Amino acid sequence: MSPRRSRDGGTLSTVLLVAANILIPVAIFVFGKGFFPYKPLLPGLATYGESSVYGEPPKAQFDKLVFMVIDALRSDFVYTENSGFKFTQSLIRDGSALPFTAHATSPTVTMPRLKAITTGSIPSFLDVVLNLDEGDESSSLASQDTWLAQMRKKGTGKLVMYGDDTWLKLFPGMFDRAEGTTSFFVSDFTEVDNNVTRHVPAELKRNDWNTMVLHYLGLDHIGHKGGPRSPHMLSKQHEMDGIVKQIYQAIESQDHLKSTLFVVCGDHGMNDAGNHGASSAGETSPALVFMSPKLKKLNKRLGAPLPEKANFQYYDTVEQSDLAPTLAALMGVPVPKNNLGATIPDFLPFWSDHEVKAEILMRNADQMMQVATAAFGQKMFEWSFKEDGKPETDDQKLAAGYMEFERLYQQVYRGGSPDLYEEMIPKAGNWLHEAQEFLSGMASNYDTPKMVLGLVASITALLIAVIAAYSSVSDKPSAFIPFAIVTLAYGAMMFASSYVEEEQHFWYWATTAWFGYLGFRGLNRRSPHPVAHTITFGAILLAARIIKSWNQTGQKFAGSPDITTLYLHTSPILLWCLVGATYFWIQQHLTYGLSSLPIWLSFAASTGLVLAAFTFKIAFVLEDAPELVTEFVQKLLQLNFSQESAVDLVARARAVFIGIGILMTASLGYMGLRKQISLGQPGIFTFLTLLTLFLATQSRVTNIPLFLLYNLQFRLLLSSVAELSPVEISLSSLLLQYTSFFAQGGSNAVSSVDLSSAYNGVAAYSALSVGVLTFLSNWAGPVWWGVASVILLLSKRQQLGGEVNVFKGHVAVTTVFVAAAGTGVMAACGVLRDHLFIWTVFSPKYLYVVAWAGAVHLGVGVGVGGGLYALGVREGMGRVK
Amino acid sequence: MPLVDPITMASAVSKKGAASQTVTVESSASPAAETYNLLPVSINQAPLAQTLRHAQPLLLSGALTLVFSSLVKDPVATMSSTTLPLTAAVQAAYAVICLPVAGRGANDTAKKTKPRPGEKVSKKKAKEGGNNAYVLAALSLLITALVTPFIYITMILFGAPLLTHGSHTLLCAAHLSLLGLFPLFYVHGVDASAWAAVGGFRAPLDETFGGLVGALVGAWLGAVPIPLDWDRDWQRWPVTILVGIYGGYVLGKVIGGTVAWGKKF
């Protein structure tokens, strides 16, 4: 026989392995620092300043502002013939409303959009993450300049806010009166909006505010639930139009409101499936309407409704950030300091003097130039001090344009002819838009040295991990070939945007081939039971086939039918049969898993806990997707604890979590004390059953039956562990982890992150618990397989005679994979940094790789897995068999 | 190191001990190899056979190229009315003219890796096919048709659409079995031990087995372009798979019949 290397490679390989696993997060962090844009933010609030070149600040045209955000209000919802906004359209026709399509940049989710609207700046990509992590302090705008802060500083009245509590998180302490609504359950179409509307009449009577913000979520919920053509959509539009009418008529009729500007806008749009987050035309084209009887002065009587357009661009298109300087001018406050928006010129006729109009544009330009100078420094102007100096770089050209602009302005200001003004206006508009485009693009200024450093660190980690894996896995080198192929192909895949979007195909494709190969190879090896062997791998393949058609995911075929939409949504009875079967199976296994306890105790504990979890799920679905709950299932709610079906969801979830926590602790304690918690199997099986119950609680109800299939695959693999070498177990584990992630509906798009279970048992927001729950609900499959793999490894260890540290080999192999994936995504993001899809495809993928490397690999694979493996070894898995 | 390769040890002990006395280093990778041996298939030496042997890949790929645009437009009609009958005819002619008849050559088994000097050389009898060959070709076609549903099921397991595109996938499966399996049925018949060797991927490479492996790998790799966002019509199911099958078969057959002839995995 060929000579083998030492069984676990000794201390050196351990040191290398630890080094690689420290280097991976460091590499990810350093690269991320360089890759994700950093924008210098100017602190403090803007003032009109004491400049000699300006006269008095331009006079305010309005003294009150009603700012009504209708979440996901796509342009065509307001402007086309099928719209429910009939009153709004009549205002457009008679000139008292001025409509626009406001271009929202990706990511089209609420928090970054609100930042753009209020500050006028383009939020960096990282705001998407902070949008999910809502409690993060750094995403708060408390210290940033916004038109809200300016209105507050103006001091002519209070600020009030009703609607989406994102505003309250963004602006802590900003509002004098406020009530936030949360969107835990998208099935809530009415209550969430009624909670806003009920405050409106009273506030319209008051005269103590100068800014009222309303944010309606119902329309977005309808979109998420039923898409833009949902039967609920039109009636919701009628409802919103009614509120517009109510407010507008109050402005018309009541004296204290007569100088009120009323703005209605969407924060983003939606795509044809009713989702948002990316950059399709539907998602980036919300409506924006300015309304006031005073607008008739502008003499714009535009046509309404308009015929439908495929690109959703109705009337003039402006940038969403243009709202900030426009509002500032109309309300008579300074433009927020970090604004990159350009004043919408349609409103300039409000001021009669050319000098004032010019001044408004000049102040906007001055402010933008300050942003530019903060980023580029004085070198922008250096060329102008030299003789024959010419602007060369883009920033210098910007400065040159600014100087030209300023020269013209000076002439207008000193009383130049109207012609001069006419000459200046288009130039000013052009410069503002150039500056806007250039400075927004500046958000993608990369710190190349950091990116290179991160990449080099990642490559180093990969090399170290390869050496560690080579010396700590006792397999024949040829056994690494399939793993190497998968790893290399995955790294290469990062460069193909379509394969990043459709990553599930890679894993489904590789998984079936791998288990097909194992099946055939078993025949080759003449296993003692060829029929049983064929059935085993046939069943694994069959389960894999069912698992991958459970949820359609990715971009290209996102709407195609899958098991969930085709069978589970149409037949709730089938759904609840499968879900019930899963819970029943868990109950059976849990009873068995606690069988060293007295029978009454093990039975009572498992039944009580499973019932609590099952009824929580029913109560949750009743809120989240009531159409899935049949009458019979609803009756089941009464099985547990209370006759009332309305026991608080938070309390229900906590009861389940506490129960699972106690039993998990007990099972681990028994393992540590080398006692049996289950009479027939090692304690780690009991732990896995409890974990299944927990992850089912954190999964969408339609995904719960998947755990039955995972378990089938796992038991079959466990029975053929002898046929698999350690590296083959690691490869199987990786493939099943990734397959399960995508089969649950995961993808590499930020919009596919499922937050519905992130608040289970959480009463007051806490970043840590919501973050952990979000991770566990979106990565439920990978976490399950991560723990199940530990059992496979323990079983392999036992089969090899208990001398080999198979876990170390497993960590070495998965570290190679994670380092290769990291290297691949860094190289792709680096090379393709000017690619059209860099912010929509590759950057989200980078964040997903961070989650896979940090949470799945280091947290679950190394951390939890290492602990369980050590306990399993201590317990002496196999002793009880 | 008895524990690292437990299956090897088990099978070496339990199976036909007499045959497994000459254990070599390579054979530990496929431990059963020494117990049963399949000889690689040789192509008949007649000029016609040699011509057809080289013409067949050109015929197949030429035909596919010619009908490619109509295949993209209407895969089912093109596959059922053109490529399937044409491929069946080409394969049948190739089998009758080029391949040795089942039981007369390829199917002979030897107890050792290399034939002994005195052992019969079966190629000589290969030309004696005669009428027998036509009957055998017809029978093999029949078996090919019978196994097609199983190939179909395998394709479903590997990710082919289940609820839609039924006839697309079935026709695709028919092509796969016609190209990959039919020549093997012709040379091996239904000899269980020969098929066990093929199924376990321990048969020696030749034109027939190489073609099968190529067609399978080709069908698998054919799925790669489908998710790309090029929005081409030919990315639709099952065009790339079919092209993969043809390409893989031709490549596998040529390599198996020439440079890799007689080699094993």
Side-chain angles (χ1 to χ4, degrees), chain B residues 50-88:
Chain B
Q50 287 297 320
T51 314
L52 184 58
R53 169 198 188 183
H54 295 298
Q56 181 230 17
L58 296 175
L59 277 174
L60 290 173
S61 41
L64 191 70
T65 316
L66 282 179
V67 301
F68 185 75
S69 57
S70 74
L71 177 73
V72 173
K73 220 173 281 168
D74 189 350
V76 173
T78 310
M79 281 195 289
S80 60
S81 69
T82 315
T83 56
L84 193 64
L86 196 72
T87 307

Side-chain angles (χ1 to χ4, degrees), chain B residues 175-201:
Chain B
H175 280 85
L176 180 55
S177 40
L178 205 49
L179 289 169
L181 293 176
F182 168 74
L184 283 160
F185 281 124
Y186 186 84
V187 295
H188 296 312
V190 288
D191 177 356
S193 48
W195 279 98
V198 170
F201 285 93

Side-chain angles (χ1 to χ4, degrees), chain A residues 784-802:
Chain A
W784 194 91
W785 276 111
V787 172
S789 303
V790 177
I791 303 185
L792 293 178
L793 292 171
L794 283 167
S795 168
K796 186 73 195 172
R797 175 179 182 272
Q798 176 201 343
Q799 185 236 330
L800 292 180

Side-chain angles (χ1 to χ4, degrees), chain A residues 1-2 4-5 7 474 476 496-499 501-502 505 508-510 512-514 516-517 520-521 523-528 538 541-545 548 556-557 566-567 722-724 796 799-801 803 837, chain B residues 1 3-9 11 15-16 25 29-33 35-36 155-163 193 196 198-202 216 219-231 235:
Chain A
M1 287 221 172
S2 56
R4 305 271 176 180
R5 278 165 273 121
R7 282 266 170 94
S474 56
K476 295 188 294 285
S497 64
S498 353
Y499 261 109
E501 286 180 331
E502 311 291 332
H505 290 299
Y508 297 166
W509 183 75
T512 39
W514 171 242
Y517 163 75
F520 277 114
R521 194 189 62 177
L523 293 178
N524 185 5
R525 287 194 176 172
R526 287 259 163 123
S527 75
L541 275 177
L542 183 64
R545 181 67 179 85
K548 70 185 180 183
K556 202 174 170 185
F557 305 105
L566 218 51
Y567 302 114
E723 283 183 38
L724 301 172
K796 186 73 195 172
Q799 185 236 330
L800 292 180
E803 298 160 39
F837 295 153
Chain B
M1 260 336 178
L3 291 165
V4 177
D5 242 338
I7 298 148
T8 309
M9 301 306 290
S11 65
K15 300 277 174 186
K16 299 169 190 165
V25 176
S30 53
T35 63
Y36 177 83
M155 282 186 151
I156 297 287
L157 279 182
F158 270 69
L162 172 65
L163 298 175
S193 48
V198 170
F201 285 93
R202 72 193 124 85
L216 291 175
W220 186 62
L221 289 177
V224 171
I226 295 178
L228 294 169
D229 62 351
W230 299 342
D231 294 326
Q235 284 176 288

